[in-house]
Amino acid sequence: MAEARIIVVDDEAGIREMLAEYLSGHGFVVRAADGAAHCRRLLAEEAADLVVLDINMPGEDGLSLARWLRGEAAFSSIGIVMLTAESDVVDRVVGLEVGADDYVTKPFDLRELRARIRTVLRRVQPVAAAQAAEKPAAADNGEDVVRFGQRLLNLGSRKLYDGAGGEIPLTAMEFDLLQAFARHPDRVLSRDQLLDLAHHGQWEPFDRSIDIRVARLRRKIEADPSHPAVLKTVHGAGYLFDSQGGR
């Protein structure tokens, strides 16, 4: 993790310089971009493991850039930590919906940001390693593969496949959440349990984060996300992975 490559994207030069100096001093390889276009140029030159991304920037904002990153196969596993204003709950909701792994509110403590970066990197780096190894498509050949309706989750390669063997991109946190369901099938899990199981004890103060990620997963798994048969809501209790649903 000491050699993790990070791009800091912020239109404020003072914040870019502060973060680049601080993170570089803690063992990260840091580049800085003053906006979305600059970030794309840096990624074209060399890949990155994680992007620290300010939401509110002139021109193309951070949400648009995050959406682009998640839509590009080459960057689908990159970690995204967003910087948001303390009062902008809507930005946090939309940020998680477009696939951000975590967020930190301004003004932020540098030590907290570094801790959150390391937590996200622990999730995204195994995904990048599996992709680099070019493991074969999932096959229903043992306990390393779990069926979610018509989808197959390969726990070893951390990849999700459709019925034809095509890969469905997952963020690191989406995989962690699916893995938590896979290990507790046909059992109601509360939001607090899912936060603990999927985030390894890294609690989030934003209590809608699980709901938003379950909604994203339903769009990737369910035949009809508005009427889920695989990841079911148990009102007043939490969520349940129906191991026979959607087949």
Side-chain angles (χ1 to χ4, degrees), residues 5 7 31 57 61 63 65 72 80 130 137 144 155 173 180 182 189-190 195-196 219 226 236 242:
R5 300 161 298 175
I7 297 178
R31 292 175 289 167
M57 297 185 294
D61 63 17
L63 294 172
L65 179 57
E72 294 289 317
I80 300 176
D144 285 337
L155 297 174
M173 280 194 173
L189 298 173
S190 69
L195 279 169
D196 189 51
R219 292 198 290 270
S226 62
D242 184 342

Side-chain angles (χ1 to χ4, degrees), residues 36 40 53 55 59-69 82 98:
R40 287 191 177 92
L53 180 57
I55 285 185
E60 183 179 1
D61 63 17
L63 294 172
S64 175
L65 179 57
R67 190 177 291 109
W68 176 80
L69 288 168
M82 290 194 136
V98 301

Side-chain angles (χ1 to χ4, degrees), residues 8-229:
V8 174
V9 188
D10 199 299
D11 62 298
E12 296 185 37
I15 292 180
R16 291 197 307 273
E17 294 167 4
M18 175 185 67
L19 291 181
E21 180 179 358
Y22 178 78
L23 294 174
S24 296
H26 285 83
F28 299 104
V29 177
V30 183
R31 292 175 289 167
D34 59 10
H38 191 183
C39 179
R40 287 191 177 92
R41 291 197 299 272
L42 292 179
L43 286 169
E45 295 169 2
E46 183 182 354
D49 300 299
L50 183 141
V51 173
V52 177
L53 180 57
D54 185 31
I55 285 185
N56 296 310
M57 297 185 294
E60 183 179 1
D61 63 17
L63 294 172
S64 175
L65 179 57
R67 190 177 291 109
W68 176 80
L69 288 168
R70 287 292 177 245
E72 294 289 317
F75 308 125
S76 61
S77 66
I78 196 170
I80 300 176
V81 176
M82 290 194 136
L83 304 179
T84 73
E86 187 173 7
S87 60
D88 288 342
V89 176
V90 172
D91 281 346
R92 296 179 222 167
V93 172
V94 178
L96 293 174
E97 286 178 340
V98 301
D101 295 290
D102 206 347
Y103 66 90
V104 176
T105 57
K106 293 181 176 180
F108 52 82
D109 183 273
L110 288 170
R111 292 167 299 177
E112 179 190 359
L113 175 61
R114 176 164 55 93
R116 289 182 178 270
I117 286 172
R118 291 193 181 279
T119 297
V120 172
L121 285 170
R122 282 195 291 271
R123 297 189 180 104
V124 303
Q125 287 183 326
V127 175
Q131 289 177 339
E134 296 183 348
K135 294 189 177 183
D140 200 355
N141 57 1
E143 62 183 5
D144 285 337
V145 174
V146 178
R147 183 175 292 276
F148 283 80
Q150 298 301 311
R151 310 300 192 213
L152 293 175
L153 179 69
N154 189 311
L155 297 174
S157 67
R158 300 172 66 95
K159 292 183 179 181
L160 181 68
Y161 298 91
D162 60 24
E167 184 181 348
I168 300 171
L170 286 177
T171 69
M173 280 194 173
E174 287 170 349
F175 170 80
D176 285 346
L177 189 53
L178 277 184
Q179 181 174 245
F181 281 121
R183 289 176 173 170
H184 301 83
D186 306 308
R187 172 182 165 187
V188 178
L189 298 173
S190 69
R191 290 169 177 81
D192 287 350
Q193 287 175 310
L194 288 168
L195 279 169
D196 189 51
L197 290 167
H199 295 178
H200 312 292
Q202 297 294 322
W203 287 67
E204 291 190 36
F206 183 46
D207 59 6
R208 285 193 59 193
S209 61
I210 289 295
D211 299 331
I212 292 168
R213 291 189 173 111
V214 168
R216 282 180 55 85
L217 285 174
R218 282 172 171 165
R219 292 198 290 270
K220 297 182 179 185
I221 288 173
E222 303 283 358
D224 182 359
S226 62
H227 296 87

